[in-house]
Amino acid sequence: MAEKRPSTDGLVDNVDPRPSHELEELDELPKYETPSEPPAIPLKEKLITCFWIALNTLSTLGLIFLSKRVFSDPQLKACQLMVVMWHFTATGLVLFISTRGPFRAFKAIRLDPWQMLPVCAFFAGYVVLGNLSLTYNSIGFYQLSKVMTTPTVVLINFIMFRKTVTRWMLAAIFATCVGVAFTINETAKTALFGVIIATMAFCSTALYQIWIGKKIEDFAVSAPQLLLNQAPISVLLLIPFVPFFDTIPDLSQVPSNIMWSVCASGIMASLYNLSQFLIIGRTSALTFNIVSHLKTILILSIGWYSEGKILSPKEWFGVLLALGGGWVYSHLAMKAKQQARK
């Protein structure tokens, strides 16, 4: 006997002459495939990524401590621009080599030099001021003051472009500012000039980051492609200012170990830039951001240990508050970007 089933509208019986087991065998009913899990990352790829993260961390530490050593020499301290020009040159050479075989990390393209001038000027300014901050401040204070770059970016974006953030992001930024204020209180009493230079450094860094993001969108290029174009132009921009701000050093009077540090600092600068781009390319900006915060903690610890500095409870609280606020803001910002893409 044929099976009777109620109609969907509940008014009449819907009679199907076929047994129910035959209906189940038909392929006319829609089937929904379960989403396949993403393939596991091969062990080789994980090891390569770990290698670039380790190289980025080591090159950052090496660059900071080598630069501190270089500028401890009285003659090289008076030629900040030339040291920066050497770092730019080394970075440009390493990036150019990385575009060739067998590396081919990215494709080199040529951009209009005139349109590159503003971003090159910001690039040169933030590096010069950063080196000055490292010269006149301790390594710990130099590194901690860089945490203020993020709040400055948010403030400039609000003033210039009316870009707002959520209340939780704002709370994280406020915690960062309060934390840094706790740590610079004593420094400001003894090295006011260093605090002013550090403030100018992270403000110029914030402007550069905003401008670099705009130019990447305008030119539709990647960060290493833009850096390869701006590094040599930045060197040319600094040449006219060398006679006014630098004193040509007598290299015969500079100790050989300091000269080796100069060479090594250029190599470290190029390795830092290259590894930074490769980490972001292989993983994500969030991964690099986490790596950056871990580097900050490591640099602060090593810097204070080498200087024999003992932090007061107030300074410890400030450091934890600043790093915690920066960490929370980074996660909230990346989460907002991921939701915007969806």
Side-chain angles (χ1 to χ4, degrees):
M1 182 177 179
E3 183 180 357
K4 296 183 179 181
R5 290 183 297 273
S7 169
T8 54
D9 57 13
L11 298 178
V12 295
D13 285 341
N14 185 17
V15 179
D16 196 322
R18 295 172 294 180
S20 59
H21 67 84
E22 292 184 9
L23 292 175
E24 295 174 357
E25 295 176 358
L26 295 177
D27 295 331
E28 59 191 45
L29 297 178
K31 295 182 178 179
Y32 298 94
E33 298 181 356
T34 57
S36 58
E37 295 182 358
I41 301 175
L43 178 61
K44 180 180 177 181
E45 293 297 317
K46 292 181 180 179
L47 292 176
I48 293 175
T49 301
C50 291
F51 169 77
W52 288 119
I53 291 176
L55 181 62
N56 181 264
T57 302
L58 293 175
S59 60
T60 303
L61 292 170
L63 180 59
I64 290 177
F65 287 94
L66 285 171
S67 298
K68 190 71 175 178
R69 186 178 186 185
V70 167
F71 294 130
S72 66
D73 183 81
Q75 293 198 70
L76 296 182
K77 185 178 181 179
C79 56
Q80 299 265 346
L81 295 184
M82 285 187 283
V83 174
V84 171
M85 289 166 61
W86 157 239
H87 288 175
F88 287 169
T89 303
T91 298
L93 288 174
V94 170
L95 288 174
F96 178 75
I97 293 172
S98 67
T99 63
R100 303 296 177 177
F103 307 104
R104 301 194 183 280
F106 61 95
K107 183 180 179 181
I109 61 174
R110 182 175 296 179
L111 301 175
D112 185 1
W114 292 107
Q115 295 185 16
M116 290 291 299
L117 286 179
V119 69
C120 291
F122 280 125
F123 183 51
Y126 106 84
V127 175
V128 171
L129 288 170
N131 283 343
L132 283 173
S133 176
L134 187 58
T135 303
Y136 291 99
N137 293 305
S138 65
I139 292 176
F141 178 74
Y142 159 80
Q143 187 64 26
L144 195 60
S145 66
K146 291 172 64 177
V147 178
M148 286 296 295
T149 301
T150 298
T152 307
V153 168
V154 174
L155 179 61
I156 294 175
N157 272 327
F158 176 75
I159 295 175
M160 296 182 63
F161 307 108
R162 293 301 174 186
K163 292 184 179 180
T164 59
V165 296
T166 66
R167 64 180 65 182
W168 292 110
M169 290 182 179
L170 195 61
I173 291 171
F174 179 75
T176 302
C177 296
V178 172
V180 174
F182 282 168
T183 60
I184 70 172
N185 187 32
E186 296 298 324
T187 307
K189 296 177 182 178
T190 58
L192 181 59
F193 180 73
V195 174
I196 294 174
I197 293 295
T199 303
M200 294 174 62
F202 67 70
C203 287
S204 62
T205 303
L207 287 170
Y208 171 68
Q209 289 183 359
I210 293 173
W211 198 264
I212 203 74
K214 183 177 184 300
K215 286 301 179 183
I216 287 176
E217 292 181 359
D218 293 345
F219 296 142
V221 296
S222 64
Q225 288 174 329
L226 190 65
L227 181 60
L228 181 58
N229 281 269
Q230 71 187 45
I233 298 176
S234 297
V235 174
L236 296 176
L237 283 178
L238 291 176
I239 291 177
F241 298 96
V242 170
F244 300 98
F245 294 97
D246 281 11
T247 302
I248 305 299
D250 183 2
L251 297 182
S252 61
Q253 301 297 322
V254 178
S256 59
N257 60 337
I258 298 295
M259 290 303 301
W260 281 112
S261 297
V262 173
C263 297
S265 67
I267 297 174
M268 289 295 174
S270 58
L271 290 177
Y272 166 77
N273 289 317
L274 182 60
S275 60
Q276 171 180 297
F277 298 137
L278 290 174
I279 290 173
I280 296 176
R282 297 181 67 87
T283 57
S284 65
L286 176 58
T287 300
F288 182 76
N289 211 294
I290 294 173
V291 173
S292 298
H293 285 297
L294 294 177
K295 287 191 302 183
T296 299
I297 297 173
L298 186 61
I299 293 169
L300 286 173
S301 303
I302 297 176
W304 286 328
Y305 176 79
S306 63
E307 296 163 2
K309 181 178 177 60
I310 299 177
L311 298 182
S312 65
K314 180 181 178 182
E315 289 175 321
W316 272 117
F317 177 73
V319 170
L320 295 175
L321 197 60
L323 295 179
W327 189 293
V328 170
Y329 176 83
S330 299
H331 279 273
L332 292 175
M334 290 304 303
K335 186 177 180 181
K337 286 184 179 179
Q338 292 173 354
Q339 291 176 349
R341 289 172 184 173
K342 296 178 182 179

